[in-house]
Amino acid sequence: MGQVKESSTNFENRKIMNDACPEVYAASILGTQWTLAICSYLILGKHRFGELRKKIPGITERMLTLKLRELEQQQIVKRTVFAEVPPRVEYELTKIGKDLAPLIAQLDAWGRKHKKLVNSTKYA
Amino acid sequence: MGQVKESSTNFENRKIMNDACPEVYAASILGTQWTLAICSYLILGKHRFGELRKKIPGITERMLTLKLRELEQQQIVKRTVFAEVPPRVEYELTKIGKDLAPLIAQLDAWGRKHKKLVNSTKYA
DNA sequence: CCCATTACTTACTTTTTTTATAGTACCCTA
DNA sequence: TAGGGTACTATAAAAAAAGTAAGTAATGGG
């Protein structure tokens, strides 16, 4: 829950759902734009900031920064800064981050299946 | 992708990612607010509109309608209208909708684990 | 001294999603 | 004939998320 106003109805609603339903909580973490793409690359291994930016088409530096910071706060990603010039920062998944792998595989499988279904019925 | 402007950068970005990554595509379907909560209830069985509204705390009729329509378009939910007064409309999962069950179970498992971890380190 | 490199910030603007509130149609019952 | 139940719609506003564009810092090399 990035920048949610604690006074908003939206905040209340999410809080209640997230507290009551772990699956909703998990989906709300993974379902925002760019987040899962980043995780998918990090599952393949450690990446520098610039590497991620190059691999993820269309992402801006701002968005990449925001999402990485969010993932870091959520303890899904670990950030390591090297005291060099020019700077070098490496990102890698934490233990729980790595635990996403089978979940991502399932999402992938269901996604393929669904896409296939929808496309096959689109013009039927 | 509910009400996205086809001319926006956002539309372009989502399109590219969704086309390339089925897991991102799947997560973007399941990750928006209310969607997974609705599916979770429907996995338990057929529900009427009003039943869902009562079970899902905080949801407005408008949101419930919107999300159900979206799920219907995505062929995840089937809608059946009975020609009665007062009206009766039933919602149930389609085949691919039911295929979400194991995915939801995994989301649930990961969500619990993550929540536990975050809470345990919060004040450490 | 100027430029390149890398990983960001900052200050906005635009787009998308969610919420609020007030209807509507239909028939049945009291 | 007024009110109740059900499943919605319409319109507007608020909130959240994403995108744009222009910096910044530090240092080594030319």
Side-chain angles (χ1 to χ4, degrees), chain A residues 16-29 103, chain B residues 36 40 104-115:
Chain A
I16 290 166
M17 288 298 306
N18 286 352
D19 284 358
C21 316
E23 81 274 25
V24 171
Y25 167 80
S28 78
I29 289 179
L103 190 41
Chain B
L36 201 54
S40 290
I104 292 179
Q106 281 230 173
L107 282 165
D108 178 279
W110 187 86
R112 277 174 207 278
K113 206 166 167 182
H114 183 266
K115 209 184 283 200

Side-chain angles (χ1 to χ4, degrees), chain A residues 7 24 44 62 71 83 85 103 115:
Chain A
S7 62
V24 171
L44 305 176
R62 175 176 148 76
L71 285 165
V85 171
L103 190 41
K115 209 184 283 201

Side-chain angles (χ1 to χ4, degrees), chain B:
Chain B
M1 285 166 71
Q3 313 307 346
V4 277
K5 251 190 213 182
E6 299 208 357
S7 63
S8 71
T9 302
N10 187 258
F11 176 82
E12 256 311 296
N13 284 338
R14 291 206 224 178
K15 193 164 159 299
I16 289 165
M17 288 298 305
N18 286 352
D19 284 358
C21 316
E23 80 275 25
V24 172
Y25 167 80
S28 77
I29 290 179
L30 303 176
T32 66
Q33 214 168 348
W34 306 117
T35 299
L36 201 54
I38 293 170
C39 292
S40 290
Y41 278 114
L42 292 182
I43 277 180
L44 305 177
K46 218 177 277 194
H47 279 76
R48 294 183 59 174
F49 183 87
E51 290 172 338
L52 285 172
R53 189 191 32 180
K54 273 169 214 150
K55 285 193 182 177
I56 302 174
I59 198 167
T60 61
E61 299 195 333
R62 174 172 151 76
M63 272 299 126
L64 184 53
T65 304
L66 282 180
K67 296 297 171 175
L68 283 169
R69 289 290 197 282
E70 209 176 305
L71 285 166
E72 198 194 352
Q73 270 198 204
Q74 291 164 336
Q75 306 182 46
I76 293 166
V77 160
K78 189 180 155 219
R79 179 171 179 260
T80 311
V81 183
F82 295 86
E84 303 173 1
V85 170
R88 178 159 65 102
V89 181
E90 285 184 351
Y91 293 92
E92 64 191 307
L93 292 178
T94 60
K95 172 71 177 61
I96 192 109
K98 285 174 190 155
D99 286 348
L100 285 172
L103 191 40
I104 292 179
Q106 281 230 173
L107 282 165
D108 178 279
W110 187 86
R112 277 174 207 278
K113 206 166 167 182
H114 183 266
K115 209 184 283 200
K116 205 167 148 190
L117 170 72
V118 170
N119 287 334
S120 79
T121 54
K122 203 185 258 172
Y123 310 106

Side-chain angles (χ1 to χ4, degrees), chain A residues 9-10 13 48-50 61-62 65 69 79 86-87 89 91:
Chain A
T9 304
N10 188 258
N13 284 338
R48 293 183 59 174
F49 182 87
E61 300 196 331
R62 175 176 148 76
T65 303
R69 289 290 198 281
R79 178 171 180 261
V89 182
Y91 293 93

